[in-house]
Amino acid sequence: MFFVAGVRNAAESGRGNERRSIYQKFREVDLLDKKKTVTALQAGEDRAILLGLGMILSSFMMYFVLGITILRYYAESVWTEEGVCVVLNSTVTADMNCSYHCGSDCWRVSKYPCLQVYVSVNNTGRVCRLSHNEETQDASSECVYVPRCQKDSTAMQTIKDTIVNISLHLKVSKQVTCYYDPSEEQDTVLLTRIYNHSMVIHSLLWPSCMLFGGALIILMVKLTQYLSRLCEEIGKIKR
């Protein structure tokens, strides 16, 4: 009888050990899966942080490039005041020479009409020469518009006709909106500005969006990590 009871106890003990070993195996598998999940999440978070830092660094580089190009030209521009210019004289004076590239070590000459326009700024009696924009002002001290020299004779003829039409339009309209130097150091006024407020704002928009996006990605990753640690701490307290 004692032998039978001993056999039963040994069998029950073996079954209990077998259950514990199976439970331990399931627990080990579960812990291994959790470790793999945590490792994958950490790798994804690291990549997201690197992406955010890369976006922020790229935005700073874009700010630097804009600072030495567009922003510098905008800050150095003296044609800051907008006014009304009354056309005093609009004349096509002569044909100006321009050159275009026609191949290796080959340059040929073409011509375009030079339109000279003199205006009075805000009816003050101050007479200035009208120029299309900053690039035209740097390229020519006489003509309102300096077209790109074209190899095609038809294209050059179209440009010539356009310049003549502009001259006729200025003679009829008599008034145009212009930009002038309030210090009166420049005797030239501009019809349009390349580096104006809207261009500066538009050029700063994209790096600003990239900077905000990179900072937002890093902030979301850090917030997710904080909430994950908070959930783990709450779970430990409940246990």
Side-chain angles (χ1 to χ4, degrees):
M1 185 175 180
F2 288 106
F3 176 75
V4 174
V7 170
R8 288 179 180 175
N9 291 333
E12 290 176 357
S13 177
R15 284 194 294 270
N17 292 332
E18 185 177 357
R19 290 195 195 99
R20 284 194 294 271
S21 63
I22 293 173
Y23 173 75
Q24 187 175 4
K25 288 180 179 179
F26 279 118
R27 184 174 176 80
E28 289 176 355
V29 171
D30 187 35
L31 290 175
L32 184 60
D33 291 338
K34 287 183 177 180
K35 287 181 180 179
K36 289 181 178 179
T37 304
V38 170
T39 303
L41 289 175
Q42 289 178 348
E45 290 171 351
D46 292 340
R47 287 193 291 268
I49 291 177
L50 288 176
L51 174 62
L53 291 175
M55 292 174 65
I56 292 175
L57 180 61
S58 299
S59 66
F60 283 139
M61 293 177 64
M62 293 173 68
Y63 279 132
F64 174 75
V65 173
L66 291 174
I68 62 176
T69 53
I70 295 177
L71 295 181
R72 181 170 67 88
Y73 295 142
Y74 174 77
E76 292 178 353
S77 178
V78 297
W79 297 277
T80 56
E81 295 291 333
E82 183 177 347
V84 177
C85 291
V86 179
V87 179
L88 301 177
N89 185 21
S90 175
T91 308
V92 177
T93 57
D95 288 340
M96 305 294 290
N97 293 328
C98 66
S99 59
Y100 60 88
H101 188 58
C102 57
S104 179
D105 297 329
C106 174
W107 291 91
R108 291 184 180 177
V109 177
S110 184
K111 293 181 181 293
Y112 66 91
C114 178
L115 174 62
Q116 285 187 348
V117 179
Y118 290 93
V119 296
S120 175
V121 182
N122 293 333
N123 288 323
T124 58
R126 178 189 169 199
V127 179
C128 298
R129 184 179 59 83
L130 185 66
S131 186
H132 183 222
N133 52 36
E134 294 92 339
E135 291 182 351
T136 305
Q137 163 64 20
D138 294 335
S140 175
S141 60
E142 299 178 4
C143 307
V144 172
Y145 177 66
V146 178
R148 181 182 177 184
C149 204
Q150 299 285 341
K151 180 180 179 180
D152 188 3
S153 59
T154 304
M156 288 303 299
Q157 185 60 44
T158 303
I159 292 173
K160 293 177 182 179
D161 295 339
T162 302
I163 293 175
V164 172
N165 291 333
I166 292 173
S167 177
L168 295 175
H169 175 72
L170 291 175
K171 288 179 180 179
V172 173
S173 61
K174 289 296 184 180
Q175 287 186 352
V176 292
T177 303
C178 60
Y179 298 90
Y180 63 94
D181 178 13
S183 64
E184 299 186 0
E185 293 181 358
Q186 292 286 338
D187 60 352
T188 305
V189 295
L190 302 182
L191 189 61
T192 59
R193 293 181 63 190
I194 298 176
Y195 309 105
N196 51 24
H197 297 284
S198 60
M199 183 178 184
V200 171
I201 293 173
H202 185 267
S203 62
L204 292 176
L205 176 63
W206 300 112
S208 299
C209 291
M210 186 174 291
L211 176 63
F212 177 75
L216 184 62
I217 289 174
I218 295 176
L219 179 63
M220 293 298 293
V221 171
K222 292 299 182 182
L223 180 62
T224 303
Q225 292 175 346
Y226 170 74
L227 293 177
S228 178
R229 289 194 298 267
L230 187 62
C231 290
E232 288 180 1
E233 293 175 0
I234 293 174
K236 290 178 182 179
I237 292 173
K238 288 183 178 180
R239 291 174 188 174

